[in-house]
Amino acid sequence: MRRLWLIFAQAVTVSVAVLFVLNTLKPEWLRKATPAAVVAILEAPAGSERAPAAGSYAPAAQRSMPAVVHIFTSKGGRGQRHPLLDDPLFRHFFGERPDSAPSESGLGSGVIVSPDGYVLTNNHVIETADAIEVALNDGRKFAARLVGRDPETDLAVLRIDGAEALPAITFPAADSLAVGDVVLAIGNPFGVGQTVTMGIVSALGRSQLGINTFENYIQTDAAINPGNSGGALVDSAGSLVGINTAIYSRSGGSLGIGFAIPVSIARDVLEQIVATGEVVRGWVGVEIQDLTPELAASFGYRDAGGALIAGVLRGSPADRAGVRPGDVLVALDGESVRDPRAMLDMVAALSPGKRAVFRVRRGAEALDLEVEVGRRPIPPAAR
């Protein structure tokens, strides 16, 4: 009996040990196989196209995104050569040292405006660049050259040579943008890659911001961040309405106040630069300022309309025509002058050599002075 009991105990111990080993090393051998669960999923028929959701701006984005490019710039710096670098003994122990400092790089965005390879961007994106590279949304990269730039509107024109099948953005038939219209801002913010943000037109004709000489900005709450400069602002149809340029921010990021150059100004600058390599504007050589109610009262004027001539450059077209400091310009070629900003734009639009009639108020008199318009001097930054 004792022997049988020992055999039984040993058999149970071995069985338990085997079960323990199997449960530790091969637990799936001890589990009952269960059929895998099947989830029923409904799929669209193969090859069917996804219809845009109601209110979606995907068609506008898809139409314009291929024409918006990333612009990479580089600038090689040269450091001052240390005298020890010319010492043969120093070079024997320490080797040759490069003369140039590490290059600086920057990034921005641009818009292909012609299948011929012309690209619009901001002047501040490329103004210090020694080399410019353009990367398309399809992954292609090309070297680009500067055709011309206009610092007074912060626009520049580049050209990609030798590229084929370049996608170009569409210009609207007319400048019909209105406050409240939906717009999309497309660019490469912070270098993360092409990004689309949506907003509305918050205001039109923004000026006196101190950003550029000629200002007539579109204000939008579409997010514009560093790297978006030079990118496209498009309408709900995907047509170009502006070139993203600046933001109002205390942190460096978007606060919902962004500014874009209207396409009408961008197109005029583009056409002049492509044709002549520069932008030509009219100039008469006067310094102007706002005619405030206080100044108007001191001059004896009943209203504060027009632009006050604060100074006249000696030998300038205005000086030769008899314009004097203290005169108030109220009309140019029969068109009323509302304020100094309007006067600056009106004179800039005149062709050099044209004779324009300036109607000025001088005390109680109204005088018509014929001024031969000169050419606006090229800013030093554009030379």
Side-chain angles (χ1 to χ4, degrees), residues 122 124 151-155 177 179 201-220 233 241-247 258-263 265 341 345:
N122 284 139
H124 72 260
E152 294 192 300
T153 57
D154 194 20
L155 288 170
L177 203 61
V179 174
V201 175
S202 305
L204 294 171
R206 285 289 191 228
S207 61
Q208 299 182 358
L209 301 176
I211 301 174
N212 294 309
T213 304
F214 297 95
E215 297 179 340
N216 183 25
Y217 290 113
I218 302 167
Q219 181 182 327
T220 178
L233 189 72
V241 296
I243 300 295
N244 302 324
T245 298
I247 59 173
F259 301 100
I261 300 169
V263 67
I265 294 177
R341 177 60 57 181
D345 292 339

Side-chain angles (χ1 to χ4, degrees), residues 53-138:
S56 171
Y57 297 99
Q62 293 167 0
R63 183 183 180 191
S64 52
M65 284 172 62
V68 180
V69 299
H70 307 164
I71 295 178
F72 301 94
T73 63
S74 60
K75 178 184 179 183
R78 293 188 63 86
Q80 185 175 3
R81 185 177 178 87
H82 196 281
L84 284 176
L85 292 177
D86 297 322
D87 189 300
L89 186 63
F90 180 89
R91 288 188 295 180
H92 173 74
F93 285 103
F94 296 99
E96 295 286 348
R97 292 292 187 270
D99 292 342
S100 59
S103 62
E104 301 175 2
S105 61
L107 58 88
S109 302
V111 185
I112 300 176
V113 293
S114 165
D116 296 330
Y118 289 104
V119 178
L120 258 178
T121 186
N122 284 139
N123 177 62
H124 72 260
V125 171
I126 54 85
E127 62 181 338
T128 61
D130 292 331
I132 304 171
E133 183 181 62
V134 172
L136 274 63
N137 196 32
D138 59 12

